[in-house]
Amino acid sequence: MRKGCLVGFLAIAAVLLFVVNPALAEQKKTFYFGISGVYALESLDEDHTKAKFSGPIVIDFDDSWGAQARLGYIVNQYLSVEALAEYIAPFEAESPGNKDELDVAVGSVNAKISYKLYKNLTPYVVLGLGAMNAYEDIEIPGAESKTSNWGASFRGGIGVDYFVTPAFSINIEGAYNRGFGGVDHVRYFTTGLGFAYHF
């Protein structure tokens, strides 16, 4: 609830700032800060979880939701470098007597390659590497298992920025996320909608 209010407040404040003072919007931009909400389509390796049980069990994770925050440095009109933080709320798998929740946190550094296609519309490709944490909480009758795994992560995606003003943009992005090492079992695809403030 509080997070939703904060995001709404930031969006309104950014719009009002550039309506009240359009001169700021015309200055050359070097950085940007963005917030997005995402829907995460799971492609988790469920055998990794099944191996934690001594007997046969059915594991079927549901998709989930998440949020992103990013801070970018604009190198030139074609290339930006950004730091991204992403959190995916627990993917859940429930069966009679058992409950499994697996949430994911990622921090990555991305290269964003952009090309202004038409006026305010700028498609882009993003490629990134980072660190991933997967926390899994399994509850079964009479027992509970909690594990936290770390590893490297890869992110690749495409998106488009629509500039409402030179300093305020709305973006849509789809990206594939994959873990390696201790989080090799974590794979998911995100579709996101967000906004960015360029300054």
Side-chain angles (χ1 to χ4, degrees), residues 45-132:
D45 180 3
E46 293 163 349
D47 288 336
H48 179 272
T49 296
K50 291 178 183 178
K52 297 179 180 180
F53 293 85
S54 58
I57 187 171
V58 175
I59 299 293
D60 185 15
F61 284 102
D62 294 329
D63 299 329
S64 188
W65 297 87
Q68 298 173 345
R70 65 187 78 199
L71 177 65
Y73 172 71
I74 302 168
V75 179
N76 55 47
Q77 63 178 326
Y78 303 111
L79 176 65
S80 298
V81 179
E82 62 180 28
L84 174 86
E86 178 176 81
Y87 174 73
I88 305 299
F91 297 103
E92 296 183 351
E94 291 191 41
S95 57
N98 302 317
K99 184 177 181 181
D100 189 355
E101 295 183 341
L102 189 154
D103 67 334
V104 181
V106 180
S108 69
V109 176
N110 308 325
K112 180 179 177 182
I113 303 165
S114 307
Y115 182 77
K116 189 172 183 179
L117 185 64
Y118 178 74
K119 292 185 178 179
N120 300 338
L121 203 63
T122 305
Y124 63 85
V125 173
V126 63
L127 297 170
L129 295 173
M132 177 184 288

Side-chain angles (χ1 to χ4, degrees), residues 5 8 11 35 37 41 69 84 100 117 125 129 134 161 168 172 186 192 198:
C5 292
I35 296 176
L41 298 163
L84 174 86
D100 189 355
L117 185 64
V125 173
L129 295 173
D161 289 321
F168 182 78
I172 299 174
V186 180
H198 303 253

Side-chain angles (χ1 to χ4, degrees), residues 153-174:
S153 68
F154 165 80
R155 175 183 181 81
I158 59 173
V160 61
D161 289 321
Y162 178 76
F163 285 83
V164 180
T165 74
F168 182 78
S169 65
I170 299 171
N171 77 291
I172 299 174
E173 182 181 288

